[in-house]
Amino acid sequence: MDIPQERKILTQIPGPRSKEWMARRDDAMTSAFPAIHAIVAARASGAIIEDVDGNRLIDLATGISVLNVGHTASDVTEAAERQLERDTHTSGVTANEPSIELAERLNALTPGDFPKKTFFANSGAEAVENAVKIARYATGRQAIVCFDHAFHGRTLLAMTLTAKVMPYKQGFAPFAPEVYRLPMAYPYRWPSGPERCAEEALAYAVDEMHKHIGEQNIAAVLVEPIQGEGGFIVPAPGFLKGLADFCAQHGIAFIADEIQSGMGRAGRWYAIEDEGVVPDIVTTAKSLGAGFPISAVTGRADLMDAVHPGGLGGTYGGNPVAAAAGLAVLDKIEREGLLERSRALGETIMARLRSFADLFPVVGDVRGRGAMCAIELVADRGTKEPLAGDVMNAIARRCLENGVIVLTAGTYGNVVRLLPPLTIDDALLEDGLNVLEEAIAAATG
């Protein structure tokens, strides 16, 4: 059902019905998994979420980059409905047509002109864990290299690969063994400055892998081409290419975690395409299913087929309804030119965020690619001390109270990240950015 694509405030936010529902949620569901924003959605369409009080909010979060094609896109819901009438589950017992076709499409879309194969799971964390399993089996090695500020999921191995302790890892030790973490080439916070970031970060990484791990022991290097939860960190140019070259030289699988950055979010099918790098394995999730739970591991056929039959699996992997939705997502992105639209949106957003840097001394850095954009806020531009958590919360809360949903991110919690649907109307995007500007002014003025 379409909803008018405009912001509309009828009550205080959260409104009385949202508060009632949230009280029920608190009684019924664990407090360990809180809602980021204390509102309850009644329906959603395009770039608008309508809550149970009738307020219409502009969604600049898209379920953490799950809804690149917008909420309840008719193409996707109709494809899922058709499949619901045919078959809802056969995965693992018999094959199904949508998952086979989706695997073929992903094999063609992921970078690399070589034979590829795909394995389906349900979530990003599952995709990451299975990518690591494949790399370990195929190489006969155990060590996995990951990076500062990374987020790869919350299951045991994925949580170990994730960098930030609180809230993701605190109290859940012991962690998985043979995981080694190296510094990310984070231009804004590199000690000697962004100009030397790629060269120095790469030299350090190569030295550490050689001296302290041993190339012959490394199964895979796992990296997000643009880090998501870590704060939309775009690695310094050349860093990822250098890592990939090192991997190729030493028979190490290079795994690109595209769970948040893929499916057009960063202006290409996959963010790694802008780096001149062809990964051995790519993980996809989030916007692949537009809200339906599905993830994929796509990689070199020789790696993917190295594992013995039955070594990979999962009850719901390749669910036909989710796969049908995924096919509709790919069709919509292609048909409506959403990769080009992502890049155009990014130009608009980045220009506006740079204007924020001129207006507000708290804006330390503006970064992103495509429609994956962020500002890092600091208490002092000279020291780069992160802006206090209560101020960050005030910015997000004021946006919400005025009908705009934004998310914070980053190791220090001081990044505002923007993930609008790639289908958002220009006027609606401008309205949302106006609200964000006012919220920063109010919270920091």
Side-chain angles (χ1 to χ4, degrees):
M1 180 183 295
D2 289 338
I3 300 172
Q5 297 295 290
E6 59 185 16
R7 184 167 56 103
K8 180 180 179 182
I9 308 300
L10 298 178
T11 71
Q12 286 188 333
I13 299 177
R17 293 200 65 210
S18 274
K19 289 178 180 177
E20 291 172 6
W21 275 103
M22 288 303 296
R24 291 173 61 178
R25 186 184 194 276
D26 290 344
D27 286 341
M29 298 173 66
T30 175
S31 60
F33 182 32
I36 296 173
H37 295 302
I39 60 170
V40 176
R43 56 182 187 151
S45 174
I48 293 291
I49 293 175
E50 185 174 288
D51 70 13
V52 290
D53 293 286
N55 300 298
R56 294 183 194 144
L57 299 94
I58 302 172
D59 185 9
L60 300 184
T62 53
I64 317 181
S65 198
V66 168
L67 299 157
N68 288 0
V69 298
H71 288 273
T72 59
S74 59
D75 328 55
V76 178
T77 58
E78 288 167 7
E81 287 171 0
R82 287 193 298 271
Q83 186 60 40
L84 277 168
E85 295 177 351
R86 296 173 180 168
D87 167 35
T88 60
H89 176 79
T90 57
S91 308
V93 178
T94 69
N96 65 76
E97 294 170 297
S99 66
I100 295 169
E101 186 177 353
L102 184 59
E104 292 171 338
R105 296 280 294 277
L106 291 175
N107 293 342
L109 285 174
T110 50
D113 185 19
F114 45 76
K116 298 180 217 133
K117 292 194 176 182
T118 289
F119 167 76
F120 289 113
N122 307 289
S123 68
E126 284 186 71
V128 167
E129 297 228 0
N130 280 284
V132 169
K133 286 172 63 177
I134 292 163
R136 282 177 165 165
Y137 198 106
T139 62
R141 306 170 182 179
Q142 294 185 342
I144 305 297
V145 172
C146 57
F147 293 88
D148 286 344
H149 312 290
F151 182 90
H152 296 292
R154 298 173 186 254
T155 49
L156 177 60
L157 177 56
M159 175 179 59
T160 305
L161 294 160
T162 291
K164 192 173 180 179
V165 170
M166 191 67 186
Y168 306 123
K169 302 169 77 167
Q170 182 61 41
F172 299 128
F175 303 114
E178 288 300 309
V179 170
Y180 300 86
R181 190 173 312 283
L182 297 175
M184 171 52 75
Y186 186 170
Y188 178 63
R189 293 192 174 273
W190 195 255
S192 57
E195 297 80 10
R196 301 182 65 183
C197 179
E199 178 186 356
E200 292 179 357
L202 180 61
Y204 184 87
V206 168
D207 193 50
E208 285 293 296
M209 286 189 281
H210 175 65
K211 289 192 311 187
H212 293 151
I213 311 171
E215 300 93 330
Q216 70 277 13
N217 300 316
I218 302 173
V221 169
L222 170 67
V223 66
E224 299 160 272
I226 300 176
Q227 291 185 316
E229 301 299 312
F232 283 23
I233 298 167
V234 181
F239 176 69
L240 296 182
K241 180 67 165 60
L243 284 177
D245 289 346
F246 178 84
C247 289
Q249 181 181 354
H250 296 286
I252 300 166
F254 185 91
I255 304 174
D257 181 343
E258 295 270 9
I259 287 160
Q260 189 164 162
S261 58
M263 293 291 102
R265 173 51 57 188
R268 310 284 179 193
W269 283 109
Y270 295 97
I272 198 71
E273 294 178 63
D274 280 321
E275 301 290 343
V277 170
V278 176
D280 298 297
I281 298 173
V282 177
T283 60
T284 311
K286 287 189 181 289
S287 274
L288 175 61
F292 289 88
I294 188 169
S295 64
V297 183
T298 303
R300 293 180 176 274
D302 59 318
L303 296 176
M304 300 297 292
D305 281 345
V307 180
H308 57 271
L312 304 178
T315 299
Y316 297 108
N319 173 271
V321 179
L327 287 167
V329 167
L330 301 185
D331 288 343
K332 185 176 179 70
I333 292 172
E334 291 176 340
R335 184 175 61 253
E336 298 184 9
L338 295 185
L339 303 184
E340 295 80 3
R341 177 60 176 162
S342 176
R343 295 194 289 273
L345 286 171
E347 291 176 5
T348 299
I349 296 168
M350 292 293 280
R352 188 64 183 277
L353 295 184
R354 292 187 188 104
S355 77
F356 290 3
D358 295 332
L359 292 170
F360 306 116
V362 295
V363 177
D365 193 31
V366 175
R367 55 181 179 257
R369 190 184 296 157
M372 189 174 185
C373 306
I375 47 174
E376 181 165 353
L377 304 182
V378 293
D380 183 282
R381 282 184 177 175
T383 65
K384 301 181 182 177
E385 176 189 350
L387 195 62
D390 59 342
V391 183
M392 294 298 301
N393 291 337
I395 291 169
R397 183 171 60 250
R398 191 171 182 94
C399 284
L400 185 71
E401 290 168 349
N402 287 283
V404 175
I405 298 172
V406 299
L407 295 174
T408 57
T411 297
Y412 312 105
N414 67 323
V415 174
V416 176
R417 54 177 162 169
L418 300 179
L419 293 158
L422 306 184
T423 55
I424 192 171
D425 177 80
D426 288 340
L428 196 62
L429 175 63
E430 182 180 7
D431 187 23
L433 293 173
N434 289 342
V435 170
L436 175 58
E437 179 179 333
E438 189 276 333
I440 296 172
T444 64

